[in-house]
Amino acid sequence: MISDRRVVVTSGMEGLQNLTVGALEAFLPIYAVTVAGLNEFQAGLLWGIQIVVTILSKPIMGKTSDRYGRKPLITTGMILCALSFGAIPLLKDFYALMAAAIIFGLGESFVTSSSAALVADICKEKHFGTAMGTFGTIFDIGHASGPILAGLLLAYHDYFFTFWVISAILLLAVPVFTMTMHAHEH
């Protein structure tokens, strides 16, 4: 399974997107209270609305990826997550932060509903378990790495630098994904 770069790169997209989820999970509430000056309830609402949007839109995005293809949704989702995540340190207003959280949740649903399905599409039936195990491991590594990377960066830099570095990682992954998928189409 590791020999099929498409599986590894697609899993990597999910892992990187989940790196951002982990960082957002850990530091959006802290940012909202300590920098934006929101109360704890508002900080909780920001995280909650992101999760609700993701939950409600995943089935729709799954159906959309069945109809229009997985790759465009993964690419679009990564860009939505990167831009909304990178915008957070520019925002202090509750409603502006809520808009960023909603866009992030939507982007997350684009990626998560399409990446596992693409891995399943790519792998051969006899290697399905291996492919999904690889996918799950990379997913978990990404999720666990988010708070660690963000915390390390925040220990030495501000929210702007930290969130923009993580956003840049997502944006830089998009051409890698696109080129890897394109190379296997020909």
Side-chain angles (χ1 to χ4, degrees):
M1 207 41 29
I2 298 298
S3 64
D4 193 330
R5 288 178 36 106
R6 296 172 302 166
V7 169
V8 174
V9 170
T10 302
S11 299
M13 296 299 277
E14 178 76 16
L16 289 173
Q17 192 277 322
N18 271 288
L19 178 141
T20 312
V21 171
L24 197 67
E25 211 168 57
F27 293 103
L28 176 60
I30 296 169
Y31 174 84
V33 172
T34 63
V35 177
L38 304 180
N39 64 45
E40 290 79 2
F41 178 68
Q42 290 171 314
L45 280 177
L46 291 176
W47 184 244
I49 192 71
Q50 180 270 322
I51 292 170
V52 168
V53 167
T54 301
I55 290 168
L56 294 177
S57 59
K58 273 185 184 183
I60 297 163
M61 290 305 109
K63 185 175 182 172
T64 303
S65 81
D66 287 341
R67 178 178 246 177
Y68 298 107
R70 320 237 189 258
K71 295 173 245 176
L73 279 143
I74 293 169
T75 301
T76 302
M78 292 293 280
I79 293 168
L80 287 173
C81 286
L83 295 178
S84 58
F85 187 81
I88 288 171
L90 302 172
L91 307 171
K92 292 189 178 162
D93 176 71
F94 172 71
Y95 294 104
L97 285 164
M98 184 175 285
I102 288 168
I103 293 167
F104 186 90
L106 190 59
E108 181 182 0
S109 73
F110 277 47
V111 176
T112 58
S113 64
S114 302
S115 55
L118 182 56
V119 168
D121 293 345
I122 292 167
C123 74
K124 306 215 178 353
E125 193 171 304
K126 65 181 180 175
H127 298 295
F128 187 73
T130 304
M132 296 316 291
T134 300
F135 176 84
T137 297
I138 294 171
F139 172 104
D140 290 339
I141 290 169
H143 193 242
S145 299
I148 296 168
L149 176 61
L152 181 64
L153 289 171
L154 283 168
Y156 297 100
H157 302 285
D158 61 8
Y159 278 94
F160 291 105
F161 181 85
T162 300
F163 277 48
W164 289 6
V165 164
I166 293 172
S167 292
I169 292 168
L170 263 64
L171 291 174
L172 291 171
V174 170
V176 172
F177 173 72
T178 304
M179 288 185 292
T180 300
M181 294 301 144
H182 185 71
H184 281 83
E185 290 172 357
H186 300 290

